[in-house]
């Protein structure tokens, strides 16, 4: 058993090394000749030889020789179902062919490891073949069918109905393909092989097996690759990825675990690289799904595992060829646990390639290599300063291993996701790009990724856009070139976020459009079957009819393609085409459901829109805009619970969505949950600070929970943004009552401080509301504001100013219509009573009886004119007040 387990572990290690590096030391030997030949072919990049191995094919799918092939999609489904059953029987020792071929295996106990190794080799070969054809290049002459079937001829690089079936399988989760991909059956076949291997290993079918730990890692790579070729994020794929990622990090998250597993077959340096790669791929996974904090954590672990320490600093230098004075430049300082000057580590040097990429400048920042169309230097030319050790380190260009270079470039992904994409964030990435650009040796994939990051940065700047276009053209051509060989290209292809070839060409087409080369872009988009981009280009050319004709022509060839029907619906604004897309997709087209939901909302059919959005989000929940639209449709339909769920899901995906936070707060207000509403409004105002309506609602909620200070700050903000029109006098009146209550409370003094504990709070609140009232009065005071202003002066103890404010309030009430308006008379009477009370207090404190005389005249005149209201309580209160004034 130990010999078999060691044999399986050796196979796992050699397969894993194919995606990392080829060590200078000889690989661990594999005892069985069939497995040795398969592993050797994979190491040399000859994946077709592995998949076309007649011996391996006979063992796994021997039934295919007698299979009656049906070239329809149903035939593909039946065949792959039988493939899955055949693999299951093979792994469970039910295959007679296996017992005949493995006559050198050494007994039934070791047969388990041999069978698992065979399935793993075929699964990895299928995955790497798909990666070569769609990610790394060069495009090979592969059959669309991943298994060699004798007597059956398949078109080379051509599409069959079985490819249509494979595409339907990949898009059944609710997402469409990003473009036109080839060898789709290969990724399905690899998934069947590796999933069955993983399932049986997890289920413990063979309790003696101690290998196959890398299966979860390969499945994680396969699932993430499937996500990367889709046009939207998938919630179901993310659930699988988390399972595979956690298991991978459990086995390979520590160097000690790797050394314990592979023993003498590996070394400490290799174990550190494998650990770093595991964390780096986990970081890329989280980046893809927008989990910034998780991505940062895994990236830090990868950086630590590979012995890399990065920090930014500044130095004087020149950014352009004609620059006279040196300016401050941001540069990256890279330090490693084992500093390499001029060469990589032993592992790295075997795989490194001379710097012959799209940005070739022979290490000189003053030249632009093949692209001298811009006067902007590729890297800043720093001022020599021997006293500055950090700058000296930069000028010496510390050689980094391929693993360390991949970690450096991954920092750019985090910077892109961490903040909104703007000019500042792109300049923050520049030091990392320039640091790798300065390396003399790099892997093909890492160098391509570095170039693509630079292209994305420089294509947004007018002075470097032409250079970016030329670089992109060379990158696209480089992917098609025969050199370097496939085995070199596969290295680190899963450790950097290089786009798939169709995505790369799409990006190239978008750059062409930005440069005005729409005709060239049209050819690319049509070849990739990117109908939405194609429609956009035709609209730029005012040729909408040409787009319709093109889509109709493609529908004659592909009548069951739902994406085409949806694109036709978009360009014609006809719901019938979306319904047709649902029909041909067996009700699985999420895009069609979303389009119909939007159309129903525009027709004000909110209930139908809500139902359609629910169906679309149930199929694929990773669509923040969909959750927001569902919440809004449910809100309009009166389903507040569903609306709250929709907006809550929105902020889980997009915490910066201020509108969603505002809607959550408003829904909590409807449910009388003021504390939850206060928190939601606070989040909304982080992103919508110029919305006075938000501040107004926030002020009311803050007062309801007793936070008077926050309420006053919000009212002041409303006043600044919207003037007196947005002032809520009723709310200010309630706040004034609270302040008056606090002022009337007995003073409490602490033992340590003679200052009353509530005095500071009262002074603060009085000062704030006074500032607000003064600003409001300057903008044109209303009756209510003058009354509040008078009460504020009374709290301050200024009775004369209080009298003046009350006088202005009374005058604002007066008019010919007041004596015929009962409500207005009540307000006037109340203000008059307050004014006379203040006059009596002034007379009492100063002894000046002229205040009493004025009050008596005012009350007498008011009572004479208010005879129509003689039966009201206010009229009686005025007469009583007059008697009281006369008796003073």
């Amino acid at each position: 058993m130990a010999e078999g387990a060691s044999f399986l572990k050796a196979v796992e290690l050699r397969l894993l090394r194919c995606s990392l590096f080829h060590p200078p030391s000889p690989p661990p030997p594999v005892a069985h000749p069939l497995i040795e030949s398969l592993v050797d072919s994979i190491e040399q990049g000859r994946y077709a030889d592995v998949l076309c191995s007649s011996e391996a094919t006979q063992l796994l799918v021997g039934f295919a020789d007698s299979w009656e092939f049906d070239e329809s999609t149903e035939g593909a489904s039946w065949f792959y179902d039988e493939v899955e059953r055949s693999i299951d029987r093979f792994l469970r020792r039910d295959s007679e062919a296996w017992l005949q071929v493995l006559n050198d295996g050494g007994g039934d106990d070791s047969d388990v490891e041999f069978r698992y190794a065979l399935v793993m080799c075929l699964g990895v070969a299928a995955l790497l073949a798909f990666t070569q054809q769609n990610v790394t290049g060069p495009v090979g002459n592969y059959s669309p069918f991943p298994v060699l079937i004798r007597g059956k001829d398949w078109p080379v690089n051509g599409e069959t109905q079985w490819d249509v079936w494979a595409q339907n399988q990949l898009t059944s989760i609710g997402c469409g393909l990003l473009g036109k991909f080839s060898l789709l059956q290969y990724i399905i076949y690899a998934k069947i092989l590796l999933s069955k291997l993983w399932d049986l290993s997890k289920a413990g079918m063979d309790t003696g097996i101690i290998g196959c730990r890398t299966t979860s890692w390969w499945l994680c790579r396969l699932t993430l690759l499937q996500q990367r070729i889709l046009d939207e994020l998938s919630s179901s794929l993310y659930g699988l990825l988390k399972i595979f990622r956690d298991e991978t990090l459990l086995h390979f998250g520590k160097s000690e675990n790797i050394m314990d597993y592979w023993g003498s077959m590996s070394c400490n340096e290799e174990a550190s690289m494998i650990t770093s790669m595991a964390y780096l791929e986990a970081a890329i996974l989280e980046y893809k799904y927008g989990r910034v904090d998780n991505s940062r954590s895994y990236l830090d672990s990868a950086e630590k595992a590979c012995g890399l320490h990065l920090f930014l600093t500044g130095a004087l230098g020149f950014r352009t060829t004609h620059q006279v004075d040196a300016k401050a430049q941001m540069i990256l300082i890279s330090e490693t646990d084992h500093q390499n000057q001029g060469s990589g580590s032993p592992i790295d040097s075997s795989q490194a390639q001379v710097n012959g990429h799209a940005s070739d400048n022979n290490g000189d920042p003053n030249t632009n290599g093949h692209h001298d169309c811009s006067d902007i230097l590729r890297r800043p030319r720093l001022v020599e300063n021997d006293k500055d050790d950090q700058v000296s380190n930069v000028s010496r260009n510390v050689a980094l291993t391929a693993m360390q270079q991949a970690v450096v470039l991954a920092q750019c992904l985090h910077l892109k996701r961490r903040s909104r994409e703007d000019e500042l964030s792109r300049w923050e990435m520049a030091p990392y790009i320039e640091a790798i650009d300065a390396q003399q040796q790099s892997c093909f994939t890492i160098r391509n990724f570095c170039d693509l990051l630079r292209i994305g940065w420089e294509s947004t700047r007018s002075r470097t856009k032409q250079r970016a276009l030329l670089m992109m053209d060379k990158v696209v051509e480089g992917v098609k070139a025969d050199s370097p060989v496939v085995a070199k290209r596969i290295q680190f292809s899963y450790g950097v976020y290089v786009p798939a070839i169709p995505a790369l060409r799409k990006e190239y087409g978008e750059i062409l459009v930005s440069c005005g080369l729409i005709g060239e872009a049209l050819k690319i988009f049509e070849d990739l079957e990117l109908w939405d981009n194609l429609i956009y280009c035709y609209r730029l050319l005012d040729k909408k009819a040409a787009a319709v004709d093109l889509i109709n022509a493609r529908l004659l060839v592909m009548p069951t393609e739902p994406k085409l029907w949806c694109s036709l619906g978009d360009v014609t604004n006809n719901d019938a085409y979306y319904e047709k897309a649902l029909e041909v997709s067996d009700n699985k087209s999420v895009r069609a459901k979303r389009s119909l939901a939007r159309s129903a909302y525009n027709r004000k059919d909110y209930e139908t829109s809500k139902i359609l959005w629910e169906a679309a989000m149930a199929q694929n929940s990773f669509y923040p805009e969909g959750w927001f639209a569902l919440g809004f449709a449910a809100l309009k339909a009166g389903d507040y619970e569903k609306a709250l769920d929709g907006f809550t899901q929105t902020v889980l995906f997009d915490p910066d969505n201020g509108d969603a936070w505002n809607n959550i707060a408003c829904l909590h207000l409807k449910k009388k949950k003021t504390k939850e509403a206060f928190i939601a409004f606070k989040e909304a105002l982080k992103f919508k600070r110029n919305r006075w309506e938000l501040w107004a609602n926030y002020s009311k909620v803050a007062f309801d929970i007793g936070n008077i200070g926050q309420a006053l700050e919000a009212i002041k903000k409303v006043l600044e943004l919207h003037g007196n029109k947005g002032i809520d006098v009723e709310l200010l009146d309630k706040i004034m009552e609270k302040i008056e209550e606090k002022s009337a409370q007995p003073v409490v003094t602490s033992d340590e401080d003679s200052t009353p504990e509530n005095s500071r709070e009262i002074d603060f609140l009085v000062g704030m509301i006074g500032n607000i009232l003064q600003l409001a009065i300057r903008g044109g005071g209303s009756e209510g504001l003058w009354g509040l202003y008078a009460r504020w002066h009374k709290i301050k103890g200024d009775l004369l100013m209080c009298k003046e404010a009350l006088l202005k309030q009374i005058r604002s009430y007066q008019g010919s219509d007041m004596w015929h308006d009962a409500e207005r008379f009540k307000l006037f009477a109340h203000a008059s009573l307050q004014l006379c009370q203040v006059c009596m207090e002034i007379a009492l404190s100063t002894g000046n009886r002229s205040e009493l005389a004025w009050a008596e005249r005012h009350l007498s005149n008011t009572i004479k004119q208010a005879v129509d209201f003689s039966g009201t309580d206010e009229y009686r209160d005025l007469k009583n007040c007059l008697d009281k004034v006369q008796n003073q």
Side-chain angles (χ1 to χ4, degrees):
M1 179 64 66
E3 181 182 354
S6 177
F7 156 76
L8 180 56
K9 290 178 182 179
V11 173
E12 285 188 280
L13 181 59
R14 289 177 62 178
L15 292 178
L16 187 61
R17 284 175 174 175
C18 292
S19 63
L20 299 176
F21 64 93
H22 291 306
S25 58
V30 176
H32 195 276
L34 173 60
I35 303 300
E36 173 64 36
S37 65
L38 295 179
V39 173
D40 183 65
S41 295
I42 293 174
E43 288 175 336
Q44 297 181 37
R46 294 184 283 106
Y47 312 124
D49 292 349
V50 177
L51 298 170
C52 293
S53 170
S54 58
E55 198 170 359
T57 301
Q58 184 64 30
L59 289 171
L60 283 182
V61 288
F63 70 91
D65 288 341
S66 58
W67 184 269
E68 294 184 4
F69 279 91
D70 180 359
E71 295 187 14
S72 65
T73 54
E74 292 80 5
S77 178
W78 296 334
F79 178 80
Y80 279 102
D81 286 343
E82 185 59 32
V83 167
E84 189 169 356
R85 288 190 291 268
S86 178
I87 293 169
D88 185 74
R89 290 193 300 268
F90 176 73
L91 290 173
R92 294 174 186 270
R93 307 187 185 189
D94 294 338
S95 173
E96 296 182 1
W98 172 254
L99 298 178
Q100 295 173 2
V101 173
L102 292 181
N103 51 15
D104 299 326
D108 289 342
D109 290 340
S110 59
D111 285 351
V112 176
E113 282 74 26
F114 290 124
R115 283 184 275 116
Y116 275 51
L118 179 62
V119 173
M120 178 173 283
C121 287
L122 291 174
V124 170
L127 174 60
L128 294 181
F130 182 85
T131 303
Q132 173 199 342
Q133 199 78 348
N134 294 283
V135 180
T136 65
V139 176
N141 292 324
Y142 285 96
S143 165
F145 194 68
V147 181
L148 173 66
I149 305 299
R150 296 186 181 91
K152 183 65 179 176
D153 295 329
W154 296 89
V156 176
N157 292 336
E159 188 176 83
T160 67
Q161 284 298 306
W162 286 40
D163 291 314
V164 174
W165 169 85
Q167 178 177 332
N168 294 338
Q169 293 297 304
L170 293 173
T171 58
S172 62
I173 55 178
C175 306
L177 290 179
L178 191 61
K180 186 177 181 180
F181 291 86
S182 58
L183 303 188
L184 295 179
Q185 293 183 60
Y186 281 61
I187 195 170
I188 299 292
Y189 184 55
K191 192 171 187 177
I192 293 173
L193 291 164
L194 295 173
S195 297
K196 184 61 65 175
L197 191 62
W198 184 74
D199 289 340
L200 294 182
S201 298
K202 293 290 289 183
M205 290 300 299
D206 299 284
T207 57
I209 191 166
I210 56 176
C212 271
R213 289 187 180 179
T214 57
T215 308
S216 58
W217 197 343
W218 286 109
L219 278 171
C220 188
R221 290 173 167 179
L222 184 149
T223 310
L224 182 57
L225 183 57
Q226 180 182 352
Q227 175 61 82
R228 288 170 57 186
I229 68 175
L230 298 177
D231 58 2
E232 291 179 4
L233 297 177
S234 167
S235 52
S236 58
L237 289 183
Y238 184 60
L240 289 174
L241 281 167
K242 288 192 292 186
I243 296 173
F244 298 143
R245 177 205 63 200
D246 292 343
E247 186 172 328
T248 300
L249 293 179
L250 176 65
H251 294 316
F252 305 104
K254 295 181 180 178
S255 299
E256 297 81 7
N257 295 345
I258 296 171
M259 293 303 298
D260 290 341
Y261 186 61
W262 275 303
S264 60
M265 287 185 283
S266 184
C267 62
N268 289 328
E269 188 178 11
E270 181 180 36
S272 298
M273 174 181 279
I274 293 174
T275 299
S276 184
M277 178 60 78
Y279 280 114
L280 181 59
E281 292 184 27
I284 293 174
L285 187 161
E286 297 298 337
Y287 159 80
K288 178 65 178 177
Y289 284 89
R291 304 301 202 262
V292 179
D293 293 337
N294 290 346
S295 178
R296 177 74 267 174
S297 176
Y298 289 134
L299 201 54
D300 290 342
S301 299
E303 190 177 321
K304 181 179 178 182
C306 68
L308 184 63
H309 309 281
L310 303 173
F311 57 94
L312 295 171
T313 188
L316 291 176
F318 301 91
R319 180 62 67 174
T320 69
T321 55
H322 307 297
Q323 187 174 336
V324 177
D325 299 323
K327 303 292 183 181
Q329 308 292 336
M330 186 163 54
I331 56 177
L332 179 71
I333 302 298
S334 305
E335 293 182 354
T336 62
D337 291 343
H338 303 287
Q339 207 76 308
N340 302 302
Q341 301 294 335
S343 64
S345 66
I347 291 178
D348 190 60
S349 60
S350 67
Q351 56 165 335
Q353 298 161 10
V354 177
N355 187 0
H357 57 297
S359 57
D360 189 3
N361 53 28
N362 299 322
D364 185 1
N366 296 301
T367 62
N368 293 326
H370 301 295
H371 313 293
D372 55 357
C373 55
S374 174
D375 62 345
I376 306 296
L377 299 177
R378 303 189 55 79
R379 304 195 310 277
R381 181 171 44 108
L382 301 179
V383 175
E384 293 295 335
N385 185 358
D386 295 335
K387 296 180 181 180
D388 192 336
D389 293 336
Q390 292 180 350
V391 178
S392 297
N393 285 337
V394 174
S395 63
R396 288 198 298 267
N397 289 336
V398 175
L400 301 176
T401 66
M403 186 70 250
Q404 291 167 343
Q405 292 179 29
V407 170
V408 170
L409 291 179
Q411 311 292 328
C412 296
L413 299 179
H414 176 71
L415 290 172
K416 287 172 64 177
R417 189 72 76 179
R418 184 190 65 182
S419 57
R420 297 185 182 275
E421 189 171 355
D422 53 21
E423 185 68 17
L424 179 60
S425 65
R426 286 188 284 267
W427 275 103
E428 288 178 343
M429 293 190 296
Y432 300 94
I433 299 172
E434 290 162 352
I436 302 306
D437 232 0
Q439 295 291 310
Q440 295 300 310
Q441 293 181 325
S442 291
C443 289
F444 172 84
T445 308
I446 292 176
R447 183 61 65 184
N448 260 9
F449 183 47
C450 180
D451 288 339
L452 290 171
L453 288 172
R454 176 177 288 279
I455 290 166
W457 168 38
E458 294 197 344
S459 62
T460 61
R461 302 161 61 201
S462 59
R463 297 177 67 180
T464 55
K465 179 177 286 189
Q466 187 176 357
R467 182 166 70 191
L469 178 61
L470 294 173
M471 286 180 63
M472 176 60 87
D473 183 67
K474 187 169 183 180
V475 168
V476 173
E477 292 300 320
V479 171
K480 301 177 184 177
D482 295 332
S483 178
V485 296
V486 176
K488 293 290 185 183
R489 296 181 183 226
I490 286 294
Q491 294 168 12
F492 288 89
S493 59
Y494 300 104
V496 292
Y497 192 72
V498 289
I501 294 175
L504 178 65
R505 296 182 62 200
K506 177 186 176 183
E507 186 177 345
Y508 182 37
E510 291 170 347
I511 294 178
L512 289 172
V513 171
S514 69
C515 294
L517 302 174
I518 299 177
E520 292 297 321
L522 278 172
K523 298 175 183 177
I524 294 175
F525 294 145
E526 184 175 354
D527 183 53
L528 294 174
E529 299 180 359
L530 295 172
W531 311 118
D532 295 333
N533 296 82
L534 204 64
I535 291 170
Y536 174 73
C537 289
Y538 276 122
R539 281 177 171 170
L540 290 177
L541 298 173
D542 292 329
K543 294 181 178 180
K544 179 180 174 181
V548 175
D549 293 340
L550 177 62
I551 294 174
N552 283 324
R554 291 300 300 168
L555 281 171
L556 295 175
V557 181
M558 305 168 63
T560 60
E561 176 55 57
K563 186 183 290 187
L564 279 172
W565 288 109
C566 288
S567 296
L568 188 58
D570 291 343
V571 75
T572 60
N573 198 25
N574 189 338
D575 288 354
Y577 295 125
Y578 300 127
E579 293 169 356
K580 182 65 176 180
L582 283 178
E583 178 186 334
V584 299
S585 66
D586 195 20
N587 204 37
K588 292 180 180 179
S589 175
V590 176
R591 178 177 171 181
K593 292 176 183 176
R594 292 171 184 165
S595 299
L596 287 171
R598 294 188 188 98
S599 180
Y601 184 89
N602 293 334
R603 297 194 311 269
K604 299 185 179 181
D605 186 357
Y606 303 122
E607 187 65 30
T608 301
S609 178
K610 183 193 76 169
I611 293 171
L612 287 167
W613 275 119
E614 283 184 288
M617 300 315 294
Q619 200 166 341
N620 182 20
S621 62
F622 270 66
Y623 189 63
E625 295 85 353
W627 285 115
F628 187 85
L630 170 60
F632 223 86
L635 183 64
K636 292 285 189 179
D639 190 347
Y640 298 136
E641 288 296 329
K642 181 61 67 176
L644 185 59
D645 290 342
F647 294 130
T648 302
Q649 288 292 333
T650 302
V651 297
L652 289 176
F653 285 103
D654 183 13
D656 296 350
N657 193 320
D659 290 325
W661 281 114
N662 175 53
N663 293 339
I664 290 171
C666 293
L667 287 168
H668 281 310
L669 275 181
K670 284 183 176 290
K671 300 169 71 175
K672 307 299 182 184
K673 295 183 177 180
T674 52
K675 289 185 178 179
E676 291 83 352
F678 177 76
I679 295 171
F681 273 129
K682 201 168 186 178
E683 290 295 323
L685 287 169
K686 292 179 181 178
F687 314 104
K688 302 289 182 180
R689 298 195 65 81
N690 294 327
R691 291 269 295 275
W692 70 269
E693 300 93 343
L694 274 178
W695 286 106
N697 291 331
Y698 180 60
S699 64
K700 296 174 184 177
V701 176
F703 175 77
D704 289 341
I705 66 172
N707 197 332
I708 298 176
Q710 290 285 329
L712 288 172
E713 288 182 6
I715 293 172
K716 185 178 180 181
K717 194 70 177 177
V718 172
L719 192 61
E720 293 174 358
L721 294 172
H722 200 58
N724 287 4
K725 295 179 181 178
I727 286 290
D728 189 340
V729 178
E730 184 180 349
L731 177 61
L732 278 173
D733 182 67
K734 293 178 181 178
I735 293 174
M736 187 66 77
E737 288 179 4
K738 289 290 184 181
I739 295 175
E740 289 170 342
E741 289 176 8
K742 289 178 178 290
S743 300
Q745 291 175 358
V747 174
V748 179
T749 306
S750 62
D751 296 335
E752 298 81 2
D753 190 355
S754 60
T755 304
E757 290 183 355
N758 59 345
S759 177
R760 285 188 294 270
E761 180 188 2
I762 294 171
D763 291 343
F764 173 73
L765 295 177
V766 169
M768 283 194 67
I769 196 169
N771 187 19
I772 291 170
L773 290 171
Q774 287 169 347
L775 289 172
I777 292 297
R778 292 193 195 109
S782 63
E783 302 94 337
L785 285 174
W786 283 115
L788 291 169
Y789 196 47
R791 291 163 67 184
W792 176 71
H793 278 299
K794 190 171 184 180
I795 294 174
K796 298 276 288 183
D798 192 343
L799 294 177
L800 290 176
M801 289 301 298
C802 178
K803 177 189 172 184
E804 290 296 325
L806 287 170
L807 273 172
K808 291 182 179 180
Q809 183 185 22
I810 288 172
R811 289 167 186 164
S812 63
Y813 282 129
Q814 287 177 334
S816 59
D817 60 335
M818 186 192 73
W819 307 110
H820 306 287
D821 187 340
E823 290 300 324
R824 193 170 182 82
F825 171 74
K826 290 180 181 180
L827 295 172
F828 174 81
H830 181 69
S832 296
L833 291 171
Q834 285 183 314
L835 176 60
C836 293
Q837 183 64 37
V838 170
C839 288
M840 286 187 284
E841 292 180 15
I842 293 174
L844 183 64
S845 61
T846 62
N848 186 356
R849 297 190 61 82
S850 63
E851 297 291 336
L852 294 175
W854 185 93
E856 184 178 356
R857 289 194 303 272
H858 173 72
L859 289 169
S860 298
N861 292 332
T862 301
I863 291 170
K864 288 179 183 179
Q865 297 181 70
V867 290
D868 292 341
F869 303 107
S870 57
T872 62
D873 292 338
E874 288 76 14
Y875 186 84
R876 286 189 291 272
D877 291 339
L878 288 171
K879 292 190 69 174
N880 292 335
C881 186
L882 176 61
D883 294 338
K884 188 175 180 180
V885 169
Q886 290 173 344
N887 293 330
Q888 286 286 329

